[in-house]
Amino acid sequence: MGELRAVMQAQRACRRFDPDGDVPDRDIELILDAAVHAPSAENSQPWVFVVVRSAEARAALSELWTAGWTAGGAEFVRSRTDDKVYADLDSGIMRGGFASAPIIVVVGADLERVPEAYAPSSVYPAAQNFLLAAADLGYGTCLTTGLTSMYVEPVRELLALPDSVLPMAAIYLGQPERRLGPPRRRPATESTYREHYKAPW
Ligand SMILES: Cc1cc2nc3c(=O)[nH]c(=O)nc-3n(C[C@H](O)[C@H](O)[C@H](O)COP(=O)(O)O)c2cc1C
């Protein structure tokens, strides 16, 4: 199998990191260079990355997560997912998983470069490249949108983002505490049709 496909097929959300594991700036730069090679509408390249290493800022983001999770986020997720997914999300927020990540990269969209309607579709491909490039270097990541969708203004204020930058994701990054098993995914053929929706693949 090609190396890229092997990385894609093994990549999954990591929510427990080695607290002593280092992520040097040179690796962050390699990962970001892969991220910015993503496509974007009209080649607008509207992404903004804020690399957060400071313990104070990470703790402040963690407090927002706890507030959102206990104020209804947990119930919302519980009502929509299976026990395994719920336990995974809960472990990140309430059992110290995200807190063990040495780095949080907040990904935003510069709305002066892209209309808001195109912002998600122009920013998330870069986020996906980020996850794959990090996996290729042996790092664990978790892409999250809960924090940035619930707490746009507090995240802006904490990171000094102007109103023109919309926070869209927080990616947790670090050395994984342990090797994760393979991702659980439905086969692609279950969601694929030939010519029209009445003809499953
Ligand atoms: C758009 C998007 C938003 C996500 N938001 C969150 C989140 O807010 N919190 C979280 O813990 N994981 C979040 N995730 C990670 C998913 O829960 C994870 O990709 C999914 O459960 C598959 O898990 P696996 O990679 O371990 O197989 C998000 C993933 C995506 C693609």
Side-chain angles (χ1 to χ4, degrees), residues 3-194:
E3 283 176 32
L4 175 62
R5 258 191 317 143
V7 171
M8 284 172 165
Q9 291 184 354
Q11 198 283 328
R12 52 173 299 203
C14 173
R15 299 188 184 82
R16 181 69 60 177
F17 300 88
D18 173 356
D20 301 321
D22 187 25
V23 187
D25 271 1
R26 69 173 178 280
D27 282 353
I28 294 180
E29 287 165 12
L30 283 175
I31 293 167
L32 290 174
D33 183 57
V36 303
H37 279 81
S40 57
E42 297 159 352
N43 200 21
S44 50
Q45 306 173 54
W47 36 71
V48 171
F49 304 97
V50 182
V51 178
V52 178
R53 283 189 190 271
S54 127
E56 293 74 28
R58 288 187 293 115
L61 291 171
S62 181
E63 273 175 33
L64 290 175
W65 262 124
T66 308
W69 195 243
T70 49
E75 264 173 60
F76 179 72
V77 172
R78 169 74 92 191
S79 69
R80 298 166 45 80
T81 60
D82 61 37
D83 288 351
K84 168 103 182 61
V85 172
Y86 177 82
D88 279 351
L89 268 74
D90 187 64
S91 75
I93 300 163
M94 300 305 285
R95 285 181 277 132
F98 290 157
S100 64
I103 291 179
I104 307 171
V105 178
V106 173
V107 186
D110 181 346
L111 301 179
E112 290 178 357
R113 291 184 183 272
V114 73
E116 192 164 342
Y118 305 163
S121 50
S122 289
V123 163
Y124 292 134
Q128 176 68 5
N129 274 11
F130 185 111
L131 305 187
L132 292 173
D136 188 43
L137 292 174
Y139 293 110
T141 52
C142 187
L143 171 71
T144 70
T145 55
L147 188 68
T148 45
S149 54
M150 284 185 292
Y151 294 111
V152 171
E153 287 313 324
V155 170
R156 270 198 182 120
E157 193 179 325
L158 184 70
L159 305 180
L161 297 174
D163 288 349
S164 55
V165 174
L166 181 63
M168 306 206 70
I171 301 177
Y172 290 79
L173 170 67
Q175 305 271 4
E177 186 195 54
R178 62 183 174 83
R179 202 185 158 87
L180 298 170
R184 296 182 302 149
R185 298 292 186 267
R186 291 184 291 121
T189 47
E190 272 187 25
S191 351
T192 310
Y193 303 84
R194 288 191 194 271

